[in-house]
Amino acid sequence: MKKLSVVAFLLLMVAPLAANGVVVPPHPVEPGTGGFKMNYHNVDITLENGIARVKIEEEFENVSNRRLEAVYLFPIPSSAVISDFVMKVGDQVFKGEVLPADEARKIYQEIVAKLKDPALLEYVGSQLIRLSVFPFEPGEKRQFHIEYTQPLEISSNAYTMIYPLKIDSFLTAPIGKVSIRIKTTDEIAEVFSPTHALKEVQASGREYIFQAEDFVPSSDVAMIFTASTEEIPSSVATFWDEKAGEGYFLLTLIPRLKEERIIPKDVVFVLDISGSMYGEKIEQAKRALEQVLQMLRSDDRFAIVTFDDGIYDLTGGLLSASEKGVWIEKVRRIQADGMTNIYGALQTSIDMFSRGDEGRFKVLLFLTDGAPTSGITETGRIVGDATNEARARNIHLFSFGVGTGVVAELLDRLVQENAGRVSYIVEGENIESKVTELYRSIETPALENVVISMEGIETAKILPTGPHSLFSGYALRLSGLFFEEGDLKVTVEGTRGGERHTYEYYFRIGKIAENEFVSRIWAQKRIASLANIYRYDSSLSEKAREEVAQEIIALSKKFNIINEFTSFLIAPERPLADNAMVDRGGLGGVPQTSGSVMAAKSVAEMEQDQFVGGGASDYRFVGSIGFYLKDGVWIEDNPEVEKLVPVKVKAFSQAYFDLFNVDDWLKDVLSLGEKVKFIYEGTLFETGDAGIEDEKELEEFLK
C-alpha cells in the first residue's frame, strides 16, 4: 500500500479554504496562544488591452508563543496563471523554480526533516494554490510576493474582473492595512466596483484605489472596466522570442453580429438533486430554473431532468414554452436526496434532442454539486459517450459546478468538447444570478459550428482546437506560434439559424519583445492539450505516454507553469538553475478554456464547505454521505454506526495515513477532523487518540 507523508496529509487537511492569500496552521491554535496575523495586503493591478497584470504583496506574522508549521493558501482566478512567486524571510529572498512534482516533494520533505526553511507551492485543484512553510518561529514575519496575468471577461463594451479578497476565520486579527491600486490606459473610461468603494486619484496616469485599516473582508472585489469606445474591438497581442527565433500571438475575436431574427431554442435543464444539494443549494437552483423558464420565448421548447442515483424525466420530453407557467409551480416542489448518477442524467437529457432541426439552437444546462458516485463514474467514459451523442445532435453543453465537491476536470472537458461554457459557484455565491447571467449570454447565439482559418503568414499549433461557438458580446481567444512579421487574415465561418456566415479579421503581427505573458498563455493551452492526450488517448503506448509527460515537464520548466506534473519549490540550500524563475517583468496567463491541467485534481479534495460562511457547520456532506459533529467527533449519519463495534485507529499513525490513502472518499472523510467515526466497506472505523498504529494491523480490516 502506498504511503502518504505526514506533511502531505496536513496540506490536504487545510487545503479547502478559498479566500485571499492566508497563512494558517495545520491544527487549531490553542486559545490564548495567538496564531497568524496579516500585517498588510497590497495589490497592484494594471489593465491594458483586456489583460490584467496583478502583483500582490502580503506580510504575515506568527503572533503565537511557539513554533508553527504554516500553510499559505492563495486562490487564483480560473483564467490566470502565476508567473512569479517570492518568499522573503528577513533579508533573505527565495525564488521558485519548476521541478517534476515527485522531485519537488522529495526535496521538500528532506529539508523539513532537517528543520530548514523550505516552501512548496503546489496546485491542488481548480482555483487554489497552496504553500507549506516550516518552521515559522514566534514573532517571525514573512512576506509573500505573487504575480499573475489574467485575460479578462468581455461583455458588451466592458471588461469584468474578480479579485479574491474574502477571508475566513483563521487569522487571529483583522488585516492591518489593505491597499488595492488599479492602473488603466485611455481605452478605459471608468472603473467601478459594486463591492468596494474605489476612489480615483491623480497620478501619472489613470488610477483608482481602495484602502482600509484593521479590515475584515466580507467579499471578493468585483470590478467593471467600461471601455472609452462604444465597442471593444477585436485585438492581437504578440511576443517575439529572439533566442528561439519564433513568436507567440494571442487573438481576441469579438463577434459584432446584430440579431436580425430570433433563433428558436431547445433548452434542457438537468438538475442534480442528490443529498448534498439539500438545503439552500437546491432552493437556489430551483429559483434559477424558474428564472430560465420565465426567459423562454414563444418559439422555444424546454425539458427538465433531475437526477440522484435515478434519472427523472419530469416533462416527458421537450414541451412548448407556452406550458412553462405550469412547470414553474412544479419546480418548486423538487426535493434533494440520494446519490449522483451523472452518466445516466447526461444520456437521458441528450436523447431528448433530435438529430435534425438545424434551424434551432440546442442547449443543455447541467447543474451539479458533486462527483459521479452512481452508474458509470469514469470521467473519460462519461465525457466520451456524452460528446459522441451531443455532437451528433449539434448540442451545446453548459455546466455549472456548485460548491467544492464537483469534479472540475469532468465539467471542464464536457464544455470544451461540446462548444459551451462552464461556471463555478462557490459557497455563498448566488446560484440563481450565475445561471441566469449565463443564459442571457446564450439567448442570442452569434455563430455555431465555427471553422477558423488563417493566412498571410506562417502560423502553427493554434489552440484551442475547438469545437467553437461564438456568442454576441463575448470573446473567443486563440493562441499560437508565428515565425515572421506580416499581415494576418483570420476568416471565421459558421452557421446561425441554419444559414452560413463568413467574417474576416485583419491583424498586423509584429516582433514585440515586451509581452512575454503571451508565450505563457500559449504554453498553458499546450500543456492542457497534452495532458488530455496523456490521460485519455488509449492508443498511446507506454513509451508515447512518457514522451507526452516529458514534453509537459519541459514546457513547464521553460515557462514556469504549475500543473499536476510539476511544482514550484523554494529551498535555501538549492541553487537556482538556469531556467529558474527570475523577475523578468513578464507575466503568465492561462485562458479560461476547459480541460486545464491545473483542474486535473478533484475539487472535492479541498472540501471548501467546512471553511466558508459564518463559521464551520456542525453537519457536512462527504459525497452524498452526511456527518454530524457530537462531542468533538464527526459521526456518519447512519443508524448502523450504533450497531457495529468500531475498529479504532490512532490519528496520525502509519495505519492512519495508510487508511487515508485507500481512496479519495476516505481522504475527504478524514479531512473532517482528527476524530471521525465512519463505515467503510461494512467496517466501522473510529479515529482518535488511541487505536492501532501499524499498517499490518490495518490490512486485515481492509481485505
Side-chain angles (χ1 to χ4, degrees), residues 143-162:
Q143 295 83 39
F144 299 90
H145 296 242
I146 294 177
E147 298 183 11
Y148 66 82
T149 293
Q150 178 185 0
L152 299 185
E153 288 275 5
I154 297 174
S155 179
S156 186
N157 73 324
Y159 301 102
T160 59
M161 177 181 179
I162 300 292

Side-chain angles (χ1 to χ4, degrees), residues 59-309:
E59 181 180 86
F60 293 88
E61 181 178 354
N62 180 0
V63 295
S64 74
N65 56 12
R66 61 190 177 94
R67 171 187 290 179
L68 294 175
E69 178 172 0
V71 178
Y72 175 77
L73 303 173
F74 182 80
I76 60 172
S78 59
S79 57
V81 153
I82 286 186
S83 62
D84 199 10
F85 168 77
V86 172
M87 179 179 69
K88 292 184 178 180
V89 184
D91 295 331
Q92 293 181 298
V93 178
F94 302 120
K95 288 182 176 286
E97 62 178 315
V98 179
L99 301 172
D102 291 343
E103 183 181 350
R105 183 178 295 279
K106 180 180 178 181
I107 294 172
Y108 167 72
Q109 293 174 353
E110 289 175 351
I111 300 175
V112 169
K114 294 186 292 184
L115 295 182
K116 293 300 175 84
D117 198 4
L120 177 65
L121 184 61
E122 184 176 50
Y123 206 93
V124 295
S126 178
Q127 301 181 0
L128 186 66
I129 294 292
R130 70 182 180 196
L131 163 67
S132 186
V133 182
F134 184 80
F136 208 136
E137 302 292 349
E140 187 176 38
K141 298 178 182 179
R142 297 198 180 202
Q143 295 83 39
F144 299 90
H145 296 242
I146 294 177
E147 298 183 11
Y148 66 82
T149 293
Q150 178 185 0
L152 299 185
E153 288 275 5
I154 297 174
S155 179
S156 186
N157 73 324
Y159 301 102
T160 59
M161 177 181 179
I162 300 292
Y163 175 75
L165 184 67
K166 187 175 67 175
I167 192 167
D168 270 71
S169 58
F170 288 101
L171 295 176
T172 58
I175 302 174
K177 293 183 179 181
V178 175
S179 172
I180 301 175
R181 186 176 295 272
I182 303 148
K183 302 176 182 178
T184 67
T185 61
D186 291 339
E187 66 174 314
I188 300 301
E190 182 184 11
V191 179
F192 168 72
S193 172
T195 58
H196 294 72
L198 298 178
K199 179 181 179 181
E200 187 171 4
V201 296
Q202 297 297 324
S204 56
R206 299 282 306 285
E207 291 192 9
Y208 296 79
I209 191 168
F210 169 81
Q211 292 180 319
E213 296 185 5
D214 296 326
F215 185 66
V216 179
S218 59
S219 68
D220 293 336
V221 182
M223 288 168 281
I224 301 170
F225 305 92
T226 305
S228 55
T229 55
E230 183 177 349
E231 293 183 343
I232 296 175
S234 298
S235 62
V236 64
T238 63
F239 168 70
W240 181 256
D241 186 338
E242 188 66 38
K243 184 177 181 180
E246 61 186 17
Y248 304 83
F249 65 83
L250 174 64
L251 290 177
T252 301
L253 302 180
I254 305 175
R256 297 300 179 193
L257 307 179
K258 294 183 179 180
E259 186 178 324
E260 298 172 354
R261 67 183 181 90
I262 303 299
I263 306 299
K265 297 182 296 299
D266 289 342
V267 182
V268 176
F269 197 99
V270 186
L271 176 61
D272 184 347
I273 59 168
S274 60
S276 55
M277 283 289 291
Y278 181 81
E280 182 60 22
K281 288 181 183 177
I282 193 66
E283 294 304 317
Q284 283 198 49
K286 289 191 294 183
R287 290 196 296 269
L289 175 50
E290 290 178 31
Q291 184 65 29
V292 170
L293 291 174
Q294 293 280 14
M295 296 168 67
L296 292 173
R297 306 191 188 201
S298 58
D299 291 336
D300 294 340
R301 298 184 298 190
F302 72 95
I304 302 171
V305 175
T306 60
F307 69 98
D308 43 32
D309 46 336

Side-chain angles (χ1 to χ4, degrees), residues 434-546:
K434 279 289 189 78
V435 174
T436 54
E437 176 186 353
L438 186 141
Y439 185 77
R440 286 192 182 96
S441 74
I442 63 178
E443 273 195 298
T444 55
L447 289 179
E448 301 179 71
N449 306 312
V450 172
V451 176
I452 299 173
S453 59
M454 300 183 186
E455 57 183 296
I457 62 172
E458 182 184 358
T459 59
K461 298 182 179 179
I462 311 300
L463 296 167
T465 56
H468 302 296
S469 285
L470 291 175
F471 299 94
S472 184
Y474 282 79
L476 171 63
R477 287 191 168 101
L478 299 173
S479 187
L481 275 65
F482 71 95
F483 306 97
E484 59 183 352
E485 291 184 314
D487 295 320
L488 177 66
K489 176 184 176 182
V490 180
T491 302
V492 177
E493 296 182 89
T495 59
R496 187 172 189 273
E499 299 177 358
R500 197 75 182 167
H501 296 266
T502 301
Y503 300 89
E504 295 178 350
Y505 300 83
Y506 296 88
F507 302 99
R508 178 65 184 176
I509 303 298
K511 296 181 178 180
I512 309 298
E514 289 77 26
N515 297 332
E516 190 176 359
F517 71 87
V518 174
S519 63
R520 290 198 180 96
I521 290 177
W522 173 85
Q524 180 61 59
K525 290 186 178 184
R526 176 64 176 168
I527 290 171
S529 176
L530 290 170
N532 280 333
I533 294 173
Y534 179 88
R535 292 193 201 96
Y536 304 114
D537 190 340
S538 59
S539 66
L540 287 181
S541 65
E542 284 302 313
K543 181 178 180 181
R545 280 171 55 83
E546 179 61 25

